[in-house]
């Protein structure tokens, strides 16, 4: 009877170890997804800032071509 109990406990210990390994793997995958999301959001924010900067430069160049002084054009004024 004692040998059967030891076997059952060994099986239960193995099953719990497998569950713990699965949970650790899922936690590692979740951490990688969180890190990747952080990197992607940083790249998107940088891209949006760069796009806004390029749009501002293009707007300034258009105003200068229309005869607005470079100082006034650089102040983000909009001619309607």
């Amino acid at each position: 009877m004692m040998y059967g109990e030891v076997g059952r406990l060994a099986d239960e210990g193995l099953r719990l170890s497998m569950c713990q390994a699965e949970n650790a793997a899922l936690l590692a995958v979740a951490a990688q997804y969180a890190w990747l999301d952080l990197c992607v959001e940083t790249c998107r924010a940088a891209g949006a800032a760069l796009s806004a900067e390029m749009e501002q430069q293009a707007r300034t160049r258009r105003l200068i071509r229309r005869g607005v002084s470079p100082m006034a054009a650089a102040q983000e004024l909009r001619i309607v």
Side-chain angles (χ1 to χ4, degrees):
M1 183 84 170
M2 185 173 169
Y3 292 114
E5 186 69 15
V6 170
R8 186 187 68 76
L9 290 175
D11 288 342
E12 186 69 18
L14 183 61
R15 188 185 69 77
L16 290 174
S17 294
M18 291 298 291
C19 285
Q20 189 176 14
E22 288 174 0
N23 287 338
L26 289 174
L27 180 62
V29 169
Q32 288 177 346
Y33 273 122
W35 179 80
L36 180 62
D37 185 53
L38 179 66
C39 290
V40 168
E41 286 302 317
T42 302
C43 289
R44 284 183 182 157
L50 182 61
S51 178
E53 177 68 25
M54 292 182 73
E55 177 62 33
Q56 174 58 34
Q57 289 175 359
R59 188 178 310 120
T60 301
R61 285 192 301 271
R62 283 193 305 270
L63 288 173
I64 291 171
R65 273 188 266 136
R66 290 181 181 172
V68 177
S69 72
M71 292 280 279
Q75 294 177 355
E76 296 187 27
L77 299 175
R78 294 176 189 252
I79 295 178
V80 180

